[in-house]
Amino acid sequence: MNSVTTARYFGAFIFASLVACSSAQAEKRVALVIGNSAYKSVPKLGNPANDAGLIGGMLRKAGFDTVDVRQDLNAPEMRKALREFGTRTRDADVAVIYYAGHGMEVDGTNYLIPTDAALETDTDVYDEALPIDRVLVSIEPAKQLRLVILDACRDNPFAKSMKRTVASRAIGRGLAKVEPTTPNTMIAFAAKAGSTASDGDSRNSPFATALADHLPKPGLDLRKAFGFVRDDVLRTTANKQEPFVYGSLGGDDVPLVPAKPVATGPQPNPQSELRRDYELALQLGTRDGWEAFLAQYPEGFYANLAKGQLNKIGAEETRASAEQKAKAAEHEKARLIAERAQKAEQDKAAAAAKAAEEARIAAEKQKQIEQARADAAEQQRKLAEAAAAKALAEKQAAEKAKAELAAKQAAERAEQAAKPAADRQLPEVETQKVAALSPGPTSTLSAADLAKSVQSELRRVGCLASAAEGEWTSAAQRSLTLFNKYAGTQFDVKLASVDALDALKAKPGRVCPLVCNFGFKADGDQCVKITCRSGYRVGDDNECEKIPEKKPVARDEPRRRDQERKDAESATPKSQASGQMICNSAGCRPVAKGCRLGTVKNMYGSSPTTEICN
């Protein structure tokens, strides 16, 4: 390299350093990127770790001074990362935080969920998660722009299993709306408040992909950039997900990446610069030199020439490597010739025998695997055929039972129709639909479990009123007798059987009729009290009848009869044939025939007038 070329490159290096220093002095940009995928208490998220890598690389290419990418952080690690980032934002102009992972809203506050959170109850969020206010505090010192991007609106599995300690505590779907209190602060959600975002079917989420496409465009205002992001996500998700931005900025454009400065004055000929760089790389003649040239000029005529020179160097390296290998092979050949040929043949034969034995073992294992598969398939075929045969038999039995039940019910309806209405004491049995159900596997219940299962089914079809027990009681026997009567079956009532259980399960509804007490009537599977309208009451036939009118009763009837008796007692007696009357406390009457009135003397003197006969 001559002195002129050296001086030219040294001048270019000085100019680039000055430009870089001036850019750093004009605007310092820092970023923190967090992607939480490997959660311990809920299923792993597929894309947050990939999205964090994509956004981190985008910010580095955009010229950010520091980009800290963290993945799968627990609660202490997230707090430490935010604390360290808050220190870096104190002398920064632009601060950006991107978070991808689970988030949730409780009582109007948004929380970011670390990977070690369990969140068994709604109050655990205060101890195990980080509120969004903690994130805003870490970027508050930035001077020009504070930007928080939350790709955390995914469907939250914690909310489904979380226990509520207070019924009034609200747990939202997605994140809640946020209004920043500091100026020049923007908060971007992957989906608007109250809705969820898609994790995506590809390597990155639709929101992260759109961010990487539009945010790094030089000079593009953030409001327009997020508008383009919104359009892309809506189009990708068929209008199911709409990103949203909260906060406000001033009237000037606020790009994440400043616009490139417009060159003024005479500009050097780029072709002459490219030619000189090519000549310099040609003088060096090394792989590193040509790779550096292609990194600076990846396209064009000189790039093709550089690729040819690089291919030439590669061919030379390949030739040298092949020559070296050939020399090594010659030396090995000479060494092998010096050794005994018998040993080489023995080793070759041993290797061949070992390979054959391994192949035999592999073939034997494969044969066993295939044999096991064939046996399993044959067993499945036999089970399927047996199940089909059993299903057909049970279907035929159910159809036969259905026909017998229909005939029995028809006979009962005819008998009920022939009787007078007054002689009917039980309601007509309703026709039940019998469904042929697919058979299940053979039951292996114990005697107690079988008795309890049969009693439970008897309760379901309305034939048993008491609770199901593990013993086959007399009440259970009476209920099975009722089932035999109304279902047309003939099961032995002295014991619980699997056949009786299957027949009960085949009944879709009530079998035994519902009998209600006086004053109640059947309503579906329940007895409800009979309510009559005004002026009616429940009669002897358990139907509403009109209340008869009561005849008025004279309240002075006893008084009238007493008065008549007194008048009769005080009335003057009628004259009789004898012309004599005798009166006493019982009243007055004529003197009997052959008798007369007179007095009788005794030891006390004369008695009052009395009737004297004979």
Side-chain angles (χ1 to χ4, degrees):
M1 183 183 299
N2 54 33
S3 59
V4 176
T5 305
T6 303
R8 179 171 59 81
Y9 277 96
F10 180 76
F13 173 78
I14 295 298
F15 175 76
S17 300
L18 292 175
V19 171
C21 292
S22 61
S23 299
Q25 293 175 357
E27 185 176 277
K28 181 179 179 180
R29 296 174 293 167
V30 295
L32 172 63
V33 179
I34 300 175
N36 285 346
S37 289
Y39 283 89
K40 298 179 181 179
S41 300
V42 295
K44 180 180 180 180
L45 286 174
N47 282 343
N50 301 333
D51 296 340
L54 176 65
I55 300 301
M58 179 269 289
L59 295 174
R60 290 191 182 99
K61 291 180 181 179
F64 271 63
D65 295 273
T66 60
V67 179
D68 187 9
V69 179
R70 304 287 187 91
Q71 294 184 356
D72 297 330
L73 301 183
N74 56 31
E77 292 170 345
M78 285 187 69
R79 294 188 181 95
K80 181 180 178 182
L82 291 173
R83 184 169 59 251
E84 294 175 351
F85 185 69
T87 302
R88 288 195 297 272
T89 60
R90 292 175 184 172
D91 59 346
D93 298 289
V94 176
V96 178
I97 291 181
Y98 172 84
Y99 172 80
H102 278 308
M104 69 185 306
E105 176 260 321
V106 178
D107 275 348
T109 301
N110 296 323
Y111 293 89
L112 307 185
I113 304 178
T115 56
D116 60 343
L119 300 183
E120 296 180 354
T121 64
D122 51 4
T123 56
D124 292 343
V125 72
Y126 305 122
D127 301 321
E128 300 179 9
L130 276 72
I132 190 65
D133 292 341
R134 178 64 186 88
V135 178
L136 296 176
V137 167
S138 64
I139 65 171
E140 190 175 6
K143 301 178 183 64
Q144 295 181 8
L145 174 64
R146 292 165 285 273
L147 175 61
V148 177
I149 304 174
L150 298 179
D151 195 357
C153 304
R154 295 167 173 83
D155 190 14
N156 185 10
F158 289 99
K160 300 177 181 177
S161 59
M162 182 183 294
K163 296 180 180 178
R164 307 297 197 272
T165 59
V166 179
S168 60
R169 182 172 288 113
I171 298 177
R173 181 174 181 267
L175 298 180
K177 179 180 179 181
V178 178
E179 291 297 343
T181 57
T182 56
N184 296 328
T185 301
M186 293 184 68
I187 302 176
F189 285 2
K192 65 181 179 180
S195 61
T196 59
S198 171
D199 199 34
D201 298 328
S202 59
R203 178 178 174 81
N204 296 105
S205 68
F207 184 59
T209 303
L211 290 174
D213 289 343
H214 297 289
L215 288 189
K217 293 180 180 179
L220 180 62
D221 182 65
L222 276 179
R223 286 159 290 200
K224 288 187 177 180
F226 279 111
F228 294 145
V229 169
R230 169 190 172 274
D231 296 342
D232 285 0
V233 174
L234 283 174
R235 182 168 50 255
T236 303
T237 62
N239 295 328
K240 295 180 180 178
Q241 177 182 340
E242 181 182 5
F244 222 80
V245 178
Y246 300 94
S248 62
L249 301 178
D252 297 334
D253 287 349
V254 183
L256 189 65
V257 179
K260 295 181 180 179
V262 181
T264 58
Q267 299 296 320
N269 185 2
Q271 195 70 17
S272 61
E273 293 287 338
L274 186 143
R275 181 174 57 81
R276 285 195 294 269
D277 291 345
Y278 178 81
E279 292 175 353
L280 177 61
L282 186 62
Q283 291 177 5
L284 292 175
T286 62
R287 174 179 290 277
D288 293 339
W290 288 117
E291 287 179 350
F293 178 84
L294 288 173
Q296 183 68 22
Y297 307 104
E299 302 293 339
F301 173 71
Y302 285 98
N304 294 332
L305 294 179
K307 291 176 183 178
Q309 293 292 339
L310 198 58
N311 292 337
K312 178 181 176 182
I313 294 174
E316 178 60 24
E317 291 174 349
T318 302
R319 185 198 64 79
S321 177
E323 183 178 355
Q324 186 177 3
K325 290 180 180 180
K327 290 180 180 180
E330 287 293 333
H331 287 297
E332 183 66 15
K333 179 180 178 182
R335 186 183 66 80
L336 292 175
I337 292 175
E339 296 179 355
R340 292 182 301 172
Q342 183 180 2
K343 181 180 179 181
E345 293 296 332
Q346 290 176 353
D347 293 342
K348 184 177 180 181
K354 183 179 180 181
E357 180 63 17
E358 291 176 350
R360 184 192 67 78
I361 293 174
E364 185 67 24
K365 290 182 178 179
Q366 186 63 29
K367 177 183 177 181
Q368 293 175 357
I369 292 173
E370 295 299 330
Q371 182 65 35
R373 290 177 179 174
D375 294 343
E378 182 65 18
Q379 184 67 20
Q380 290 294 332
R381 181 189 65 80
K382 292 180 179 179
L383 291 176
E385 290 177 354
K390 183 177 179 181
L392 179 60
E394 293 192 0
K395 181 178 179 181
Q396 292 174 351
E399 291 177 351
K400 180 179 178 182
K402 180 179 178 182
E404 292 177 353
L405 176 61
K408 184 177 181 63
Q409 290 175 345
E412 290 180 355
R413 284 197 298 269
E415 182 180 356
Q416 291 289 343
K419 292 181 180 180
D423 293 338
R424 295 180 183 174
Q425 304 204 0
L426 291 175
E428 183 180 353
V429 179
E430 299 179 357
T431 304
Q432 302 292 335
K433 297 180 180 180
V434 179
L437 302 178
S438 299
T442 303
S443 175
T444 58
L445 296 176
S446 63
D449 293 339
L450 180 60
K452 190 172 183 179
S453 299
V454 173
Q455 292 180 58
S456 299
E457 290 298 322
L458 287 171
R459 279 179 55 85
R460 184 181 64 80
V461 299
C463 297
L464 177 63
S466 60
E469 300 177 357
E471 297 180 359
W472 189 247
T473 61
S474 58
Q477 295 179 13
R478 289 193 298 271
S479 65
L480 185 55
T481 302
L482 288 176
F483 178 78
N484 285 337
K485 175 182 178 182
Y486 292 105
T489 56
Q490 295 180 353
F491 295 114
D492 185 2
V493 300
K494 295 182 180 180
L495 53 86
S497 63
V498 177
D499 294 337
L501 179 61
D502 292 340
L504 285 165
K505 289 182 177 180
K507 302 299 180 182
R510 174 178 288 276
V511 174
C512 296
L514 181 63
V515 179
C516 299
N517 295 331
F518 178 77
F520 292 82
K521 65 178 180 179
D523 185 5
D525 290 339
Q526 297 179 350
C527 289
V528 297
K529 187 175 181 180
I530 299 175
T531 303
C532 299
R533 66 178 186 269
S534 178
Y536 284 77
R537 66 181 179 185
V538 178
D540 295 336
D541 57 352
N542 214 34
E543 299 288 340
C544 290
E545 64 180 14
K546 190 172 182 180
I547 301 174
E549 296 181 0
K550 295 182 180 180
K551 296 181 179 180
V553 178
R555 296 182 179 178
D556 56 349
E557 185 67 20
R559 188 182 305 172
R560 184 180 61 79
R561 286 197 295 266
D562 292 342
Q563 186 63 36
E564 289 178 354
R565 180 178 58 80
K566 292 179 180 179
D567 293 342
E569 291 177 353
S570 61
T572 304
K574 297 180 180 179
S575 60
Q576 300 295 327
S578 61
Q580 292 182 328
M581 296 289 294
I582 184 170
C583 295
N584 54 25
S585 60
C588 297
R589 61 179 177 80
V591 176
K593 186 177 181 180
C595 298
R596 62 180 177 83
L597 294 176
T599 58
V600 178
K601 292 183 178 181
N602 53 30
M603 60 183 295
Y604 300 105
S606 299
S607 63
T609 302
T610 184
E611 186 178 20
I612 301 173
C613 298
N614 297 330

